Amino acid sequence: MILKGFKENSNKKHLNKLLSERQVNVTDKKIESLGVILNIDEIDDFELFRKFADFLKIRDNKLKIIAFSENDKSTLTSWDVCFSPKDFGWNGVIKNVELQTFLDTKYDALISYYTQDVLELKMITAKSKAQFKVGIEQSDERINDLIIKTKLKEFNIFKEEAIKYLTILNKI
């Protein structure tokens, strides 16, 4: 148990370092690729994001949805990539090859659709090489470039607001 606490503290320190070094570079480049991070313990309807990507005219091969669960991931078989706290080591080291590939991909936009204050989810969002990060209001506002204040179950409101602001920013 003590080691678990030390590991969590090392990951928090790594997250704070990532967020303090982050440079926001928002351009008016159109969104052609999209990454999505979900907390499957909160919402499990990934089809909403496939329809949203279709609306944004993003091809299927340019869309990647990953899920996080604090439970055992062997029960979650319908996801492209599902990760859990076991996929993280000390100092923010990623032990899952598929998750590392997701992080290394330079998406034009990343949607972080979760509200729970989970260190691993925040670390994935911060480590992502996505150029523009969109999310729901969270405890740490440094994580996303565009924060849409809505409830998790109100996806239609999130979608409308995202479209409105992405249009204003000349991203779609």
Side-chain angles (χ1 to χ4, degrees), residues 5-6 28 30-31 36 46 62 79 89 98 101 107 122 134:
F6 285 139
D28 61 351
K30 303 288 185 196
I31 296 175
V36 179
F46 65 95
K62 296 285 188 173
W79 291 91
E98 293 176 356
T101 302
Y107 296 102
K122 292 195 285 188
V134 180

Side-chain angles (χ1 to χ4, degrees), residues 47-113:
E47 198 59 38
L48 291 171
F49 295 95
R50 292 198 193 283
K51 291 177 184 174
F52 185 50
D54 285 343
F55 181 81
L56 296 176
K57 297 183 177 103
I58 295 172
R59 292 180 279 152
D60 285 341
N61 64 339
K62 296 285 188 173
L63 171 68
K64 184 70 170 182
I65 301 173
I66 63 169
F68 172 83
S69 177
E70 292 186 285
N71 304 320
D72 185 24
K73 64 183 176 184
S74 63
T75 60
L76 309 169
T77 58
S78 64
W79 291 91
D80 293 343
V81 175
C82 186
F83 61 97
S84 69
K86 294 177 185 175
D87 295 320
F88 295 85
W90 290 71
N91 293 318
V93 174
I94 305 297
K95 296 194 247 178
N96 184 321
V97 175
E98 293 176 356
L99 182 56
Q100 189 62 51
T101 302
F102 178 84
L103 293 174
D104 292 338
T105 305
K106 293 188 178 186
Y107 296 102
D108 294 329
L110 175 75
I111 296 177
S112 302
Y113 203 75

Side-chain angles (χ1 to χ4, degrees), residues 15 19 36-43 49 66-68 83 110-127 133-140 143-144 147-148 150-152 158:
L15 175 65
L19 293 175
V36 179
I37 302 171
L38 297 177
N39 185 348
I40 197 168
D41 299 332
E42 291 181 295
I43 186 167
F49 295 95
I66 63 169
F68 172 83
F83 61 97
L110 175 75
I111 296 177
S112 302
Y113 203 75
Y114 55 86
T115 58
Q116 288 182 355
D117 192 22
V118 178
L119 177 62
E120 290 85 2
L121 284 168
K122 292 195 285 188
M123 217 164 24
I124 290 300
T125 303
K127 283 178 141 297
K133 299 176 183 179
V134 180
I136 297 178
E137 185 177 33
Q138 298 166 357
S139 60
D140 195 341
I143 294 175
N144 294 306
I147 300 169
I148 298 176
T150 183
K151 291 183 174 52
L152 193 68
F158 173 83

Side-chain angles (χ1 to χ4, degrees), residues 5-47:
F6 285 139
K7 179 181 170 185
E8 186 174 323
N9 284 339
S10 76
N11 285 336
K12 282 181 183 177
K13 191 174 184 180
H14 181 72
L15 175 65
N16 282 328
K17 181 181 177 207
L18 283 173
L19 293 175
S20 66
E21 294 173 350
R22 183 167 183 252
Q23 296 179 0
V24 179
N25 186 14
V26 180
T27 63
D28 61 351
K29 183 179 186 272
K30 303 288 185 196
I31 296 175
E32 296 174 2
S33 61
L34 179 67
V36 179
I37 302 171
L38 297 177
N39 185 348
I40 197 168
D41 299 332
E42 291 181 295
I43 186 167
D44 61 356
D45 189 4
F46 65 95
E47 198 59 38

